[in-house]
Amino acid sequence: MTKNDAPAATSSSASPNTVTKVVQGSPSAPDWTATASAVSDSVVAITVRMGTGGGQGSGVVVDTNGNIVTNDHVVADAVSGGQLTVSTGNRTYEATVVGTDPSTDLAVIRVKNPPTSMKPINFADSSTLTVGSPVMAVGNPLGLSGSVTTGIISALNRPVTTSNRHSPRDLQGSRDSSSGVVVTNAIQTSAAINPGNSGGALINANGELIGINSSIASLSSSRSESSGNIGIGFAIPSNLAKSISDQIIDTGKATHAFLGISVRDAAASKDGVQVLGAGIATVSPRSPADEGGLQRGDVITKIDDTDIASGESLVGLVRSFKPGQKVKISYIRGSQEATADVTLGTARS
């Protein structure tokens, strides 16, 4: 599996008057022509030049101040001194990096003197998504700006692990955040996503953003530049993208929720049935997990209403919450099921 390619404060909330909305007559047979037209000025092509090399990706306009959300791995070289430009239509503009959040593979860049033609996209509530719903991916695959593909939501809360650096091999399977990986409970889609789509928009039929395209599955063991779509793409849910981008725009950085445990894949017995979950390997003293009564050996099976089937699933889900948020954790200890009310802390940066 591979990724697709390559601090002043302003609010990211778009004015309702600047967002184009699409009202579909038939949800089961949407007019994708209208949808594509509505978002054409909300998705941009991003180019980073570094020495004799560089890379391309996509981005999504979030406000009228020139702020654009994209993937961290798309603009990683710009942070290291590369030249960053944004293209929309037949115009190209200089841009700067506002801030990055490698742990979620998200970043915000800002266009200098943004044109009025750049329209903010409307964010949908990704917590209401359902499997089977039609979607469209919009971006800059292989340098072909303004490309659109359609498909459906294939799965939700799919744990996906990627490197947080701009490297050719990304989905390695590790869940040690200290080693430089990203774990996301992603939206899986059948819409064709290829190198260059990274940072682009996954939208619903109404033209609302439901996710930021971030990675693809590949059967090829070759470099990501030569691998392409096999019908399994992943996107970072819009609720997480909005939370992180808002924080970066406001403060230049993002904070993350902290539970205070290390985990592994595990299973526990409940009523004679094996239940998959996240087994607690260690609990940090005085952490939210410790104060909530969780112990080493407990197998976490659910947070609020979301099932947990692996250690990666739990890591990705915790990262989707905000510090200070209260959650109900369901777990099995021995053969007994119990719950713990936990107030999440703030992870150290």
Side-chain angles (χ1 to χ4, degrees):
M1 295 183 180
T2 62
K3 280 182 183 169
N4 301 333
D5 50 64
T10 52
S11 172
S12 67
S13 298
S15 166
N17 296 327
T18 64
V19 177
T20 302
K21 295 183 179 180
V22 181
V23 179
Q24 295 286 354
S26 173
S28 60
D31 179 1
W32 289 120
T33 302
T35 305
S37 177
V39 302
S40 61
D41 294 325
S42 300
V43 182
V44 301
I46 297 174
T47 300
V48 181
R49 291 184 174 86
M50 187 78 170
T52 59
Q56 294 179 320
S58 308
V60 181
V61 181
V62 298
D63 60 26
T64 57
N65 297 306
N67 290 307
I68 294 166
V69 62
T70 184
N71 286 139
D72 170 66
H73 76 265
V74 169
V75 299
D77 285 341
V79 176
S80 303
Q83 181 187 10
L84 179 64
T85 58
V86 167
S87 299
T88 176
N90 61 352
R91 302 288 182 91
T92 298
Y93 304 88
E94 291 185 4
T96 57
V97 177
V98 179
T100 65
D101 185 48
S103 66
T104 58
D105 194 23
L106 289 167
V108 174
I109 64 175
R110 182 175 297 146
V111 171
K112 301 175 182 177
N113 301 315
T116 57
S117 60
M118 284 176 49
K119 304 295 185 184
I121 204 161
N122 193 37
F123 281 73
D125 180 359
S126 55
S127 69
T128 64
L129 300 178
T130 55
V131 173
S133 299
V135 294
M136 172 181 281
V138 188
N140 183 37
L142 305 176
L144 303 173
S145 62
S147 296
V148 302
T149 55
T150 59
I152 62 170
I153 295 175
S154 304
L156 296 168
N157 296 313
R158 181 74 78 192
V160 176
T161 305
T162 64
S163 167
N164 68 16
R165 298 303 301 165
H166 191 185
S167 59
R169 297 292 300 281
D170 301 294
L171 299 184
Q172 300 294 338
S174 169
R175 358 180 237 282
D176 179 5
S177 60
S178 64
S179 66
V181 297
V182 181
V183 182
T184 303
N185 277 13
I187 301 166
Q188 181 182 327
T189 180
S190 64
I193 296 174
N194 286 286
N197 269 120
S198 277
L202 188 67
I203 60 175
N204 60 22
N206 293 329
E208 299 168 322
L209 184 76
I210 65 170
I212 298 294
N213 299 321
S214 61
S215 54
I216 57 176
S218 175
L219 297 176
S220 172
S221 60
S222 61
R223 293 175 61 87
S224 64
E225 288 86 343
S226 60
S227 63
N229 167 69
I230 60 169
I232 302 177
F234 302 100
I236 300 167
S238 57
N239 286 4
L240 179 59
K242 179 167 176 51
S243 173
I244 298 299
S245 61
D246 281 352
Q247 291 182 66
I248 291 175
I249 291 169
D250 289 341
T251 68
K253 61 181 181 180
T255 58
H256 300 280
F258 170 71
L259 182 55
I261 59 176
S262 62
V263 294
R264 54 181 174 76
D265 296 343
S269 178
K270 176 187 175 185
D271 300 327
V273 177
Q274 288 290 101
V275 180
L276 297 177
I280 299 179
T282 62
V283 179
S284 299
R286 296 180 297 280
S287 66
D290 186 29
E291 293 177 355
L294 295 174
Q295 299 178 10
R296 181 178 183 272
D298 292 346
V299 177
I300 296 175
T301 58
K302 183 180 291 188
I303 296 184
D304 290 339
D305 295 325
T306 302
D307 291 331
I308 300 295
S310 66
E312 287 178 350
S313 177
L314 183 136
V315 172
L317 185 58
V318 169
R319 287 182 178 173
S320 70
F321 291 107
K322 297 179 181 179
Q325 195 165 347
K326 295 181 179 180
V327 297
K328 182 180 291 295
I329 297 178
S330 301
Y331 63 94
I332 298 175
R333 179 177 297 165
S335 60
Q336 300 298 312
E337 189 173 33
T339 62
D341 293 322
V342 174
T343 299
L344 298 172
T346 301
R348 289 179 294 180
S349 56

